[in-house]
Amino acid sequence: MTEKKFARRDVLKGTTALAAAGMSGALFAQPARAQAPAAAAITPELIEAAKKEGKVVFYTAMDLTLAQRLGREFEQRFPGISARVERSGAERVFTRIAQEFSSKIYAVDLANTSDLAHVIHWKRDGLLAPYLPEEVVKHYPKQYYDPEGFQIVTRVLVSPLGYNTNLVKAEEAPKSFADLLDPKWAGKMVKAHPAYSGTIMNSTYQTARDLGWEYFEKLAKQRIMQVQSATDTPKKIALGERAIMVDGAGYLIIQYKEKGDPVDIIYPEEGTPVATSPSVVFKSAPNPNAGRLFQNWMHSREGQQIIVDFARQYSPHAQTVEKPGVRKLADIKLMKEDAEAIEKGAEEIKKRYSALFKV
């Protein structure tokens, strides 16, 4: 059986139509302005209600090892509740949820994406349940959560350049995006595709916006290896299959370097692309209490410190402690995230990129 492929514009039309038709009663009804929920603590009552449900289903764009680690830690912290983790790229997560909802399949309790534009769509169509953990209100800067409780940023992801230190000397490594156009790097670079990864969708958009699509026209002539995920590009340079990483998961470069792999990170002079990675709870959650419990715990200091310690990713939680040797987010010149522009223009970005790189 051939799987039907959905473009993002089809996904938007499909779930918007469901919302307009009023299917599942209040499930798709979105008030003009929702009242901010009260800050919620993890209470014995919530834990007991979650245990009666017995499981939580989490769709996520996190790399699999981190997602599984969070699932195991949650199960140990709350015995009697199993965590089912389903990992894929952010675009695939988004499409899967739309396909399931269009078939009236409500299997997911909460989801994490690396593309904030997805949340704009889900919120607009009334698919989300408002929920604000107490620690988020106390310890998160306000730009990292929706005041109405519809999303919380779980991770802040940067997409820098990187290189293999066996193949490139530090003094000869590129310092900027502009340096990548040097003919000496032709056939030696790897880049991920915006059609799969939310991190790469943001990175591609921000680079094109700040440097112009003319930059990508020139870069496309450099015979760049194309891979799928933001996690694939660090692997390619760690293995020595390519010398330079154009974009990808910066935290993996840090992890690989700590393990002794011959890689290092470059924060480009023009600015480093950035993507916030939010998590949401769905109104249709089959295990709503377990979903809220997981959302609350994942954004507590305990859950967020796992993200910092295990994955070397940036946390918005003010009480987390960064690992020594990891550059602080405040010390990195960042490009600007624009979720609304991506929500409106994602299909055009993918189409234009694919035409230039012939993928």
Side-chain angles (χ1 to χ4, degrees), residues 158-165 170 173-175 237 245 248-255 257 262-268 272 312 314 325-327 332:
V158 295
S159 181
L161 309 180
Y163 68 102
N164 181 295
T165 56
K175 303 297 188 293
I237 64 169
M245 178 181 93
Y251 61 87
L252 282 181
I253 297 293
I254 295 170
Q255 289 181 36
K257 183 177 179 180
V263 295
D264 210 345
I265 203 164
I266 304 164
Y267 299 101
T272 298
R312 301 298 189 265
Y314 293 106
V326 176
R327 185 178 297 193
I332 302 173

Side-chain angles (χ1 to χ4, degrees), residues 65-246:
T65 56
L66 172 59
Q68 290 177 335
R69 177 63 177 266
L70 287 170
R72 289 195 301 270
E73 294 286 347
F74 176 80
E75 290 173 342
Q76 292 175 12
R77 181 71 171 77
F78 303 101
I81 310 170
S82 65
R84 176 183 154 197
V85 173
E86 299 281 348
R87 193 273 165 190
S88 190
E91 292 291 312
R92 300 285 176 84
V93 169
F94 180 70
T95 301
R96 177 180 178 176
I97 290 170
Q99 290 173 329
E100 290 181 351
F101 279 26
S102 69
S103 300
K104 299 183 182 179
I105 297 171
Y106 307 116
V108 60
D109 295 310
L110 75 162
N112 168 264
T113 175
S114 54
D115 190 345
L116 186 58
H118 296 159
V119 177
I120 295 176
H121 166 68
W122 289 330
K123 180 180 178 180
R124 183 182 61 230
D125 281 355
L127 307 183
L128 305 180
Y131 185 69
L132 264 182
E134 190 173 61
E135 284 198 43
V136 170
V137 176
K138 288 182 178 179
H139 301 299
Y140 277 52
K142 291 185 178 180
Q143 70 265 32
Y144 290 123
Y145 66 92
D146 180 4
E148 295 174 354
F150 289 108
Q151 64 90 2
I152 305 163
V153 171
T154 309
R155 313 169 293 152
V156 180
L157 305 169
V158 295
S159 181
L161 309 180
Y163 68 102
N164 181 295
T165 56
N166 286 341
L167 301 177
V168 181
K169 296 179 180 179
E171 61 271 20
E172 297 175 356
K175 303 297 188 293
S176 66
F177 285 109
D179 288 347
L180 302 182
L181 301 181
D182 191 313
K184 71 180 181 180
W185 303 123
K188 299 179 180 179
M189 293 184 284
V190 58
K191 187 187 182 308
H193 199 291
Y196 179 85
S197 166
T199 300
I200 302 305
M201 171 62 76
N202 278 274
S203 174
T204 302
Y205 165 75
Q206 291 168 30
T207 305
R209 178 198 61 202
D210 292 3
L211 306 183
W213 277 102
E214 297 84 1
Y215 173 76
F216 279 123
E217 291 174 5
K218 297 174 183 177
L219 191 67
K221 298 175 182 178
Q222 291 283 68
R223 305 195 312 276
I224 293 178
M225 173 189 283
Q226 292 289 320
V227 293
Q228 184 170 253
S229 172
T231 62
D232 291 335
T233 50
K235 294 174 185 176
K236 293 298 183 184
I237 64 169
L239 292 170
E241 294 183 23
R242 286 295 184 273
I244 303 294
M245 178 181 93
V246 177

Side-chain angles (χ1 to χ4, degrees), residues 34-45:
Q35 183 177 358
I42 295 178
T43 63
E45 293 77 15

